[in-house]
Amino acid sequence: MLGGAGFLWMGWSGFNGGTPFQVGEIASLAIINTDLCTATSLLVWVSLDMIFYHKSSVIGAVQGMITGLVCITPGAGLVDSWAAILMGAMSGSIPWYTMMVLHRRSAFFQSVDDTLGVFHTHAVAGLLGGILSGVFSKPNLLNKMYPTMHYRPGLVYSFYDRKLVEGFKQIWMQEEDLEIGDDAVHGEEAYALWGDGERMRLPLRLHISPTIPSLCRRKILIPVLRKQME
């Protein structure tokens, strides 16, 4: 489990850093923020276990790691490092509360087979990350990431500019982007089987050369020496 968690963290830093599709300030910041938020979330989750249950666990540490990774992803390259730490503190505490407290007290959650806690680590942490990205997004980083798109300052920065309404509009715009989904953004469908839901401009076999099938139909004679037969 620890090995898988380590690979997950490493890979997550890779695709968060690769989001801008180029090496630069946004990519570097995204990797740093991913590590800061994830480490903070892990430490907060373990600390809460120690405070309330007087014992930490490896499973709890991995859960805190996952919530941090999920939370920082929408705004990894759009927030400052101090904001990433705050996001890690929230992603390590709010999903912890929903999983360790509300889940045990709710009859609805008790009737749902969610052994891995996917709802808390992904739904709660993902919604938290989407909202906080609109709260902490920095205007100059937004400009570098989306130079041709219309955006508004994050809620925190709207206080300085005295444009509080604009900050709330940015949060709303952030939620609208999340509602688009993979189908519209990437032109793909989740869990599509071979040939089901794929969108290809050209047939798959259009440029396949018939050389290989023709070779398979040929009779290839392999010379055998008499000494080998003996």
Side-chain angles (χ1 to χ4, degrees), residues 166-201:
E166 298 294 318
F168 284 107
K169 288 183 179 180
Q170 176 61 32
I171 297 177
W172 182 255
M173 291 170 60
Q174 180 72 18
E175 289 304 296
E176 287 181 342
D177 288 342
L178 292 176
E179 292 176 358
I180 294 176
D182 291 339
D183 189 19
V185 175
H186 303 292
E188 300 177 358
E189 295 182 8
Y191 309 109
L193 300 178
W194 179 256
D196 181 16
E198 295 181 350
R199 300 177 183 179
M200 297 183 179
R201 296 182 179 180

Side-chain angles (χ1 to χ4, degrees), residues 76-151:
L78 304 177
V79 301
D80 276 332
S81 296
W82 62 266
I85 295 175
L86 290 180
M87 293 175 69
M90 290 188 230
S91 65
S93 56
I94 296 177
W96 178 91
Y97 179 77
T98 62
M99 177 184 289
M100 306 302 294
V101 180
L102 291 183
H103 189 101
R104 298 182 179 183
R105 296 179 180 178
S106 172
F108 172 77
F109 282 123
Q110 291 295 324
S111 62
V112 177
D113 184 11
D114 189 10
T115 307
L116 301 178
V118 176
F119 174 80
H120 308 283
T121 57
H122 288 75
V124 177
L127 179 61
L128 189 64
I131 295 174
L132 293 178
S133 296
V135 173
F136 296 117
S137 57
K138 195 172 182 179
N140 65 330
L141 295 176
L142 283 168
N143 186 31
K144 292 181 180 180
M145 187 68 181
Y146 306 105
T148 60
M149 295 180 63
H150 179 67
Y151 61 88

